[in-house]
Amino acid sequence: MSGGVDSSVAAALLQRAGWEAVGAFMRLGSDDSIEAAEGYDNLFDDCATDPSQPKPGGGRHQGCCSVNDAADARLVAAHLGVPFYVINFKRDFGRVIDYFVDEYNAGRTPNPCVRCNDWLKFGRLHDYAASIGAQYVASGHYARVGRDEHGRATLTRGRDVGKDQSYVLFGTTPAKLERMLLPIGDLQKSRVRELAEALGLPVFDKPDSQEICFVPDRDYARLVERRTQGGLDEGEIVDTSGAVLGTHGGQQRFTIGQRRGLDLAMGYPIYVVDKDAEANRVVVGTKADLAATGCVAGKVNWLDGALPDDWRPCGVKVRYNGGEGAGAVRVATDGDGATDIELRFDASIEAVTPGQAVVCYDGDRVIGGGWIDRAVRAAG
């Protein structure tokens, strides 16, 4: 229970369906989440009977797992009459922040929310659920768990296309899918808010969180600089032919497809089309230079049996907020013998970004995905 409307309604629906629900708030270690969990330093600390009744939202909101979110989650649990525990994931969450910084320093663009789901929400949280005898871990994600023709659990899109979060759950293993419940996956967001109000949940009109919880001011570069030994170094901005056009304050400040912040007057729109972390170089070009005909991805998580040796048609998403394209996928191996996947797109896709996830679909069903290592450009 993160303190938002989605997980709150998920808990209420489970309770209404007859499940014995136990609320859990992940203490991740930011200053305000530590403040929220002050006094709850044990692994599980029951605070559902806390008599305080703070105002939901507390007048400020800094993304998930803030002090106000902890208070709101506790308030909802008390309203529902379910046990509520603060679970200390501070040490585990450090892995997510380290990953975030390391990826930017390597010239990639990280996706910490996907990694948080993989490592914590459907990783460590499953371990803790097992330790208290819970059968399932439920969340307020807009996705669904179904069954294939063999009776195996599958991950499919949420009914609300605009809120679908199956992309960020692609890293969930088949074993974890068997123990997942996604109670609001069949609902539209508007219906979730209606239910929250009808059920008397005090967070029914709470805004959705938009920020990464450990970068509430959205200044990613400042966090990376602060946590990088020696800070960020100045480097060259070059065009696709290698000609030097200007300088920048660190390749970590840029991502593929970025247009703003280049401070170059070329007489036509230019975009970041590539980065070389080793040389600390940013490559710019035209919109046409952003087009990719495919990509190669590693750290594969496949949910649909064996990886295909030959091209298998699929839907393709290369970013959470992007649209879906059509393409095909097959297994590949890198130079070190590791298993990768290779994708080709039926039509070019812009700004395919190393470090982001590429997720493959068969209709509404997620069949697998991986982490983009490189884009295949239109010129080959």
Side-chain angles (χ1 to χ4, degrees):
M1 296 179 70
S2 66
V5 65
D6 298 327
S7 61
S8 298
V9 169
L13 291 178
L14 288 170
Q15 185 187 50
R16 192 164 69 171
W19 290 96
E20 181 183 352
V22 176
F25 180 85
M26 298 195 308
R27 172 184 171 185
L28 299 181
S30 61
D31 289 343
D32 57 357
S33 66
I34 290 173
E35 178 187 345
E38 186 176 358
Y40 304 111
D41 289 328
N42 294 328
L43 185 60
F44 294 106
D45 296 296
D46 190 347
C47 53
T49 58
D50 191 301
S52 64
Q53 296 291 313
K55 178 182 177 182
R60 60 186 177 93
H61 189 66
Q62 297 186 3
C64 64
C65 307
S66 71
V67 60
N68 299 298
D69 293 318
D72 290 346
R74 184 175 65 238
L75 191 62
V76 170
H79 177 81
L80 295 175
V82 302
F84 177 65
Y85 303 97
V86 173
I87 304 177
N88 189 345
F89 279 159
K90 180 180 179 180
R91 182 176 301 174
D92 301 278
F93 192 66
R95 180 186 180 191
V96 177
I97 301 176
D98 289 344
Y99 147 81
F100 183 84
V101 173
D102 291 345
E103 286 288 273
Y104 268 116
N105 284 334
R108 298 157 65 91
T109 301
N111 195 321
C113 295
V114 176
R115 283 307 196 190
C116 186
N117 282 322
D118 293 348
W119 294 338
L120 300 184
K121 291 179 184 175
F122 297 106
R124 295 283 284 139
L125 193 59
H126 271 259
D127 298 335
Y128 290 122
S131 75
I132 63 170
Q135 292 177 268
Y136 296 94
V137 173
S139 71
H141 285 94
Y142 287 86
R144 294 173 291 157
V145 177
R147 296 283 168 180
D148 65 14
E149 63 273 18
H150 305 291
R152 297 173 300 200
T154 60
L155 176 65
T156 60
R157 303 179 200 271
R159 294 286 187 194
D160 190 330
V161 176
K163 300 294 292 185
D164 170 52
Q165 293 174 297
S166 59
Y167 173 92
V168 301
L169 298 179
F170 93 93
T172 306
T173 65
K176 296 290 175 57
L177 278 174
E178 295 287 349
R179 296 183 58 214
M180 282 174 59
L181 294 176
L182 302 173
I184 66 170
D186 278 309
L187 302 177
Q188 298 291 317
K189 178 73 178 197
S190 57
R191 179 58 179 158
V192 169
R193 289 204 179 275
E194 288 174 359
L195 284 171
E197 186 171 15
L199 292 166
L201 301 182
V203 294
F204 74 91
D205 60 349
K206 183 176 180 178
D208 293 338
S209 61
Q210 301 293 331
E211 305 89 359
I212 295 175
C213 60
F214 57 90
V215 196
D217 62 359
R218 302 191 181 188
D219 192 345
Y220 310 124
R222 185 170 68 174
L223 180 141
V224 173
E225 183 172 22
R226 188 171 67 245
R227 297 177 67 95
T228 299
Q229 186 173 5
L232 309 185
D233 296 324
E234 186 176 284
E236 296 175 338
I237 300 176
V238 302
D239 64 17
T240 53
S241 70
V244 178
L245 303 177
T247 60
H248 61 75
Q251 61 83 17
Q252 297 91 333
R253 302 180 186 277
F254 301 89
T255 191
I256 305 302
Q258 182 174 334
R259 181 177 174 185
R260 296 182 178 178
L262 292 169
D263 295 326
L264 295 174
M266 302 295 294
Y268 55 89
I270 56 171
Y271 304 82
V272 175
V273 299
D274 202 1
K275 299 200 301 177
D276 183 341
E278 186 174 352
N280 192 25
R281 184 177 293 126
V282 174
V283 183
V284 298
T286 65
K287 194 175 182 67
D289 294 320
L290 285 173
T293 57
C295 68
V296 175
K299 299 177 182 175
V300 177
N301 186 57
W302 202 251
L303 299 174
D304 192 47
L307 282 162
D309 292 322
D310 201 2
W311 291 109
R312 174 179 175 175
C314 64
V316 179
K317 287 193 72 171
V318 298
R319 63 184 62 85
Y320 171 59
N321 289 321
E324 181 180 323
V329 60
R330 69 179 179 185
V331 69
T333 56
D334 66 13
D336 297 324
T339 300
D340 291 347
I341 51 175
E342 179 183 3
L343 292 104
R344 64 184 185 191
F345 309 144
D346 290 356
S348 295
I349 297 177
E350 291 183 356
V352 175
T353 306
Q356 292 290 289
V358 56
V359 180
C360 305
Y361 290 82
D362 183 351
D364 283 340
R365 181 166 57 94
V366 175
I367 57 175
W371 295 90
I372 298 170
D373 285 327
R374 62 181 176 89
V376 177
R377 300 297 181 190

